[in-house]
Amino acid sequence: INIRLYKMKYWICLVKSEYIGPCINEERWGVHSGFKPVLEATEIGDKIIFYSVANRTNSDRAFHHGYSFIVGVFEITSKIYNTPQSSKWVKEYPYRVNHKRVGSFNKKIDLGYLSYVLGIAERDLRARLVGEDMIEINNESFEKLCNYDVQKNS
């Protein structure tokens, strides 16, 4: 008998604002080839929080003017796969996993708070979010972000 113990992982994934709609509606998350190894580290059942910014090229303005927000909680439902390149979104991010929504909310999250929760210096976090598509986070950080009360903390 081959029994493998599974330990759920948690991820925060950066999504350009123009791709958040297709990502959620098509229930697929994709990364470019440089992040294929990170996506390969995911497992069915892992949880994802999508972090959307206005755009990556103007990320400082987006981060500091309230355009950054977290969009729900999602669960990975497939292994990684490569898709035919049928659209700009697919060409740019061909390696994918499917997901389903397991929690709904839209929360504006200040980069300073995100930095605090993740335990990463704000400058370093900004560089990572602009340079990387997904970051593994711990359960405690995941829970803090999911339970963040926008009204109470504004």
Side-chain angles (χ1 to χ4, degrees), residues 50-119:
F50 291 117
Y51 188 67
S52 181
V53 295
N55 65 48
R56 283 180 153 174
T57 57
N58 197 9
S59 59
D60 280 343
R61 181 170 178 257
F63 283 139
H64 294 292
H65 288 82
Y67 301 128
S68 304
F69 58 96
I70 286 180
V71 184
V73 178
F74 299 81
E75 182 177 303
I76 294 176
T77 60
S78 75
K79 293 279 192 188
I80 186 174
Y81 61 93
N82 194 348
T83 54
Q85 298 187 358
S86 58
S87 70
K88 179 185 176 215
W89 185 51
V90 175
K91 286 177 188 170
E92 199 170 341
Y93 305 105
Y95 297 99
R96 305 177 164 259
V97 291
N98 294 337
H99 60 74
K100 67 179 179 183
R101 185 185 292 268
V102 294
S104 294
F105 53 76
N106 263 354
K107 298 180 182 185
K108 285 187 178 179
I109 300 284
D110 176 77
L111 183 66
Y113 181 76
L114 186 62
S115 169
Y116 166 74
V117 168
L118 299 181

